[in-house]
Amino acid sequence: MKSSQSTTAEPAVPTLGPIGTWAMSLLHLHQRLAPPFARPEVRQHALLYLRAILSEIPRKNGWQIAEHAREERPYGMQRLLSRAVWDQEGCRDELRALVRQALSPPPLVPASAEHEPLYPVLVLDESGFPKRGRHSAGVAPQYCGVSGRVENCQVGVFLSYVTERGHALIDRELSLPDDWCADLPRRRAAHIPDTLSFATKPELAKRMVQRAQAAGLPIRWVVADTVYGHSSDLRNWLEEQGYAHALAVPSTEVVCVQTRAGLLLADVASIAQRALRAQDWQRLSASQGTKGERRFDWARLPLVHRGEVDGRHWLVFRRCLDDPHELAYYLVWAPADTPLSPMVRAIGARWHIEEDLEVSKDLGLDQYEVRSYLGWYRHYLECSFVTVRIMYVIRE
């Protein structure tokens, strides 16, 4: 259970009533999406789909979206997501361009000891989508963050872009369990490409960061939870790219740190107990929450990397104020002489992706009824374009 200091900030967003009056803005957005669509009829259905997502219909499923569009059957909307010809990857790239344009991060400048730049930040996280049956692409008994337990669900890996002006989802990948990848008839029934092979969540995360990198997106930090921090391959790759990163790791992660008494090789939980003194902790704010500043106690120790302490690799500890026994651990790589405070603020930026996912689900991200692999990606795009508008990041 999250402590009161780590509650997600309540997004300052308008209600669905005012959102529904944004007809002209939605038309401008729709016009910008014209190139990825091969036929005007398909593009018109996309506009109807966007309008339905913005509406106050209780569930954004095929039947209710079709009813909102004044269609007798849901087949047109279902076809839009599953069989119609349009370039969903081109739409994804347009979404990323919209976010970049709207958030307008300042040019990256050299860091200084007085003011360590934080933004832009890429945030990685996964989210589960509970499902019935076994036919939806990638569905399987697996951990679902929504319920906090293992259940039948799909799991998506998501990427948010955060600057001082705002934040929004810019990319996604559907995680396919290994047994799905090995079952060719089941794959083909869900329209999963034959060329697609199994990839871990950190590998999917790397693909999304690579796409952001190839698009020329400015990136200062990359942050993520333990699913990604436990991957040494991902950490090493981020370091090779020169991206400062703060990735959470489980309490069982074994590292070597420099302490007052010398080198200590142990799991991070044991290091916290054996190597930290009361005076090593600092009370710092990670970000703004619903009850004010999210304050925790923080400490850090230098990591031994390739046999030496280089001033760039750190083990960072976070301790809850209301429960000192509740700790979190982060492996951080940052420019030399980076103070603890910007590391803490980078870690705090991770909560923004929870806001993005929450708003997207309020708009029906988890209410789709399509079973196909392609349909999952396309429904995400429709919800994300609307979410970007709601989060005030499309600024005319």
Side-chain angles (χ1 to χ4, degrees):
M1 179 180 295
K2 293 182 180 179
S3 68
S4 59
Q5 290 87 2
S6 63
T7 52
T8 302
E10 184 176 352
V13 298
T15 63
L16 287 179
I19 290 170
T21 67
W22 294 345
M24 188 59 65
S25 178
L26 188 62
L27 283 174
H28 291 162
L29 173 62
H30 183 244
Q31 290 169 1
R32 186 161 180 170
L33 295 179
F37 289 88
R39 295 171 57 87
E41 295 87 349
V42 177
R43 187 161 65 93
Q44 181 63 22
H45 261 100
L47 176 59
L48 295 174
Y49 202 99
L50 289 170
R51 285 175 174 167
I53 291 174
L54 274 172
S55 75
E56 295 181 312
I57 59 176
R59 286 190 61 81
K60 309 304 195 295
N61 57 36
W63 278 100
Q64 293 197 29
I65 289 176
E67 183 178 350
H68 183 271
R70 299 183 178 180
E71 296 185 353
E72 294 183 358
R73 297 287 186 271
Y75 308 135
M77 296 302 175
Q78 292 171 350
R79 184 177 183 278
L80 172 70
L81 298 183
S82 57
R83 297 188 302 277
V85 178
W86 58 282
D87 181 9
Q88 67 277 354
E89 302 307 317
C91 281
R92 177 206 60 207
D93 295 344
E94 186 62 32
L95 171 67
R96 183 178 57 228
L98 281 168
V99 171
R100 179 178 181 177
Q101 173 186 326
L103 297 184
S104 301
L108 297 182
V109 296
S112 66
E114 292 78 20
H115 180 68
E116 175 68 24
L118 174 64
Y119 300 110
V121 180
L122 290 183
V123 187
L124 294 156
D125 201 4
E126 70 280 344
S127 185
F129 303 87
K131 303 292 287 184
R132 296 179 180 177
R134 60 183 303 273
H135 301 294
S136 298
V139 71
Q142 51 193 324
Y143 179 78
C144 180
V146 174
S147 61
R149 63 177 185 268
V150 173
E151 65 174 297
N152 200 56
C153 66
Q154 293 171 298
V155 174
V157 181
F158 296 89
L159 181 67
S160 274
Y161 191 58
V162 182
T163 80
E164 58 270 34
R165 295 195 65 192
H167 50 91
L169 295 172
I170 61 170
D171 209 343
R172 77 291 178 241
E173 287 283 357
L174 180 62
S175 177
L176 292 177
D178 193 29
D179 57 348
W180 265 89
C181 295
D183 190 338
L184 187 58
R186 195 181 185 197
R187 288 169 58 111
R188 289 181 173 172
H191 303 286
I192 298 172
D194 290 348
T195 56
L196 203 66
S197 58
F198 173 75
T200 65
K201 292 175 185 175
E203 289 170 341
L204 296 176
K206 178 181 174 181
R207 290 179 191 173
M208 293 190 291
V209 177
Q210 286 175 319
R211 288 197 287 261
Q213 181 185 48
L217 211 62
I219 303 167
R220 177 72 68 181
W221 282 82
V222 179
V223 297
D225 66 12
T226 56
V227 172
Y228 311 94
H230 187 57
S231 170
S232 59
D233 289 340
L234 179 60
R235 298 197 309 265
N236 291 336
W237 181 81
L238 291 172
E239 184 176 335
E240 291 169 1
Q241 308 310 305
Y243 297 145
H245 53 273
L247 307 183
V249 291
S251 61
T252 54
E253 190 82 13
V254 175
V255 298
C256 184
V257 296
Q258 177 71 56
T259 72
R260 300 178 312 279
L263 301 184
L264 174 59
L265 176 65
D267 62 83
V268 294
S270 298
I271 292 174
Q273 295 176 354
R274 297 166 58 183
L276 294 177
R277 304 168 297 174
Q279 57 266 41
D280 293 329
W281 294 94
Q282 302 180 45
R283 188 154 298 177
L284 298 169
S285 172
S287 61
Q288 188 75 24
T290 56
K291 300 180 180 180
E293 297 288 337
R294 290 193 185 95
R295 294 188 177 274
F296 297 88
D297 288 334
W298 300 83
R300 67 176 181 175
L301 290 171
L303 281 172
V304 178
H305 181 70
R306 296 177 181 173
E308 64 178 7
V309 174
D310 60 8
R312 305 194 69 177
H313 293 82
W314 297 88
L315 172 60
V316 174
F317 307 85
R318 188 194 74 192
R319 185 176 67 187
C320 289
L321 303 186
D322 53 357
D323 184 1
H325 299 290
E326 185 177 336
L327 277 73
Y329 315 92
Y330 304 87
L331 295 183
V332 176
W333 182 81
D337 302 321
T338 299
L340 177 60
S341 179
M343 296 180 184
V344 168
R345 290 188 293 118
I347 292 169
R350 197 196 70 81
W351 279 294
H352 288 307
I353 197 169
E354 296 185 12
E355 298 171 11
D356 294 335
L357 288 168
E358 181 179 353
V359 171
S360 297
K361 289 182 177 181
D362 287 344
L363 290 166
L365 180 64
D366 56 350
Q367 295 172 13
Y368 54 91
E369 294 178 334
V370 292
R371 293 176 174 177
S372 72
Y373 179 83
L374 184 62
W376 184 89
Y377 279 83
R378 288 180 167 182
H379 177 74
Y380 155 83
L381 283 169
E382 298 280 356
C383 291
S384 293
F385 273 108
V386 174
T387 302
V388 166
R389 184 61 182 91
I390 290 178
M391 298 301 287
Y392 293 108
V393 298
I394 297 181
R395 305 174 188 269
E396 290 80 3

